[in-house]
Amino acid sequence: MPGSASPHVLLAGVDDATEAVLRTELGGRAAVRRLPSGEAVPPDAADEPTLLVVGADVPAPAGLVSALQTRTRHLAVIVVTGRAGADDTSALSLLAPAERLAYVRADDPDGLARAARSMLDRLALQHAYRTAQAAAQRRLLAGGEVARQPGEQLFGPLYHQVLIGAVAVDAAGRVIAWNRKAADILSLRNDAAGRSFPLLFPPHVRGDLREHLARAALVPSPPTLFERLGDDGAAQTLRMSAQAVTNPDGTTHTLVILEDITSSTETRRQLAERTSHALLSGDVAAAMTAGDPLRQRLQRSAQAVVDRLGVAVARIWTLDAQENTLVLQAAAGPHGHLDGGPSRIRVGDPGVGLIAAERKPHLTNAVTDDRYADDQDWIRREGMAAFAGYPLINDGELMGVMALFSRRPLPETAFESLAGIAGQIAVGISQDRLLDRLRATTEALQRPLLPPDLPTLPGLDIVARYRAQGDSLDIGGDFYDVFPLPDGQWALTLGDVCGKGPTAAAVTGLVRHTLWTAAQQDPDPAHVLPSVHRALLRENSPFCTLVYALLDPSDTPVRLRVTSAGHPAPLLRRRGGRTRLLEEHGPLLGAFRATGHPVQSTVLHPGDSLILYTDGFTEGSGAHLSREPEDLAALLASWTGPSDDRLADRLADLLFTDAVTRWAGRLRDDLALVAISAHP
């Protein structure tokens, strides 16, 4: 090994076989010895290259390595693994550089020998480099090099010229010397020698810096970021690491290596800021386009503002135009109030009310007057520094106000980003109001197409179920009706008009009106269905499927006559559960010239039921996932519930719940059903 170094191999917790292997392989080039329990480093090994071999049974290898590092600076470690007891080896990567740390399995003696030789070679090279470096520095100093600046004599001309700052600090934290780059970074002059190094930094970081230097006297400290202000008042971000250094004369000091990373840090900060703003915009867009109720979407948006921008509190109000009042809809952040905490604020009141009245943003990084909040004590107590309030305006219409407080000043880019967020929220509120108006219009158009109430007939239970597909913005094409006839009979009808929306609503109205009018003249299916067919052809309207049934409740059993025009077959369930399809049918109405429709006659005994339904129950998720009417018949036949006066209601619930559960989010059609049962 170059120089006068005598390498040492210390064995901790190593068995006899492993020790024998290492003595055989390394005995000629290193002193191999066991490390007795409680002993740190042998005195003659403290300043020499040392290889520590830790056995698999050592319970805390990281603690052992940490203790050894306080006694020797030239330490490499091999950990023997493979048995219990070395469960904290992952901590070693924090103590030893990767090139000085190796793991070898206990059952691989050859691998252990190779690793030990490699580590000794690496230690030898590193020792040779340090020896040559020290010799070169001594020669430079012996040559009478003139010190042009404090630090050149200590560091030597090479270190004095490097592009990374270096500062020597004594045990009391006073500056001893520095190189040229450190002078540039810290604005050091020749009279800086003896000055306290921590005093070069602002008060709030001095404690951390002193702790950083104290640790470095024991173990080299990892790179750590510290901030300070330069002579020009501009903020600096310095990355610093420190370690104990022994001078050629035997004295020690702490060497601080520092690098000004202000520019790169600012670049990363700006990138992170832009990324955060982009993510915030995405979060708000996702929230405001979700299918949740408006209040939930606004709450998600307010929470995104708090999470992405790190503000203390965010609130969103919507405008109640009739009351000229802002209504609190969303609140995010740990604080329970804003502008005094009311849930309703009059337009024109201080704070958000004034923002709504003036319809312009209020932005400040100095919250000092009542324009921003009534509770100034709260602002001072919570340390609020910035306020941002934005009117939520879409197409010139005021939708509400978004406001927030922050404990730290907000950059201009944050104010700009929040303006865009306010625009997104305003559009979302406007769209929600538009959808509400559309739903109200749809309901108003749909309401006359369905009977408001079903009649109560003696001895019969009649119920209906209806559900429009989707979000009910389209008027459904399914309809049903039950009405009396002049001869004492009752007409039951259920149909499905092709299409949706206003066109389907117009056709549905035409069909219902024609059915009722024709049935009042002559209820016979041979008269009623052709009348509907001709009305559709005359108006050039979309086609329609239909079930038309006549029932006479005056007799027991109840007599029924059923006619189907291209519609799914009605289900006739007997009291015992046996269910069959009334499959005879004629063509759908409004499409073909032929209009012949066979009439099926049957009766409802006590406990019997007739169910009419639309094709949403069989093709609710498209034809490729369709069910057959026989499947519905089997479901009715398998039902074993009570046959009482609510039998029709129970059977309707059975079929309706089954359809809604089966199709779930895939439902693509309306669902309509009419069930009639004779009381048992």
Side-chain angles (χ1 to χ4, degrees), residues 264-305:
S264 59
T265 300
E266 177 63 17
T267 300
R268 287 193 295 270
R269 186 197 63 78
Q270 292 178 0
L271 177 60
E273 188 176 84
R274 288 193 294 269
T275 301
S276 177
H277 295 169
L279 292 173
L280 173 59
S281 179
D283 289 345
V284 172
M288 296 307 297
T289 56
D292 303 323
L294 178 62
R295 182 180 288 269
Q296 293 182 22
R297 287 181 279 142
L298 293 177
Q299 181 63 39
R300 286 177 55 190
S301 299
Q303 190 63 53
V305 171

Side-chain angles (χ1 to χ4, degrees), residues 456-462 553 555-556 558 604-608 644-645 676-680:
T456 301
L457 302 181
L460 296 174
D461 181 24
I462 303 177
D555 290 339
T556 301
V558 176
L604 291 182
H605 296 282
D608 293 347
D644 54 17
D645 292 351
I676 180 170
S677 297
H679 292 170

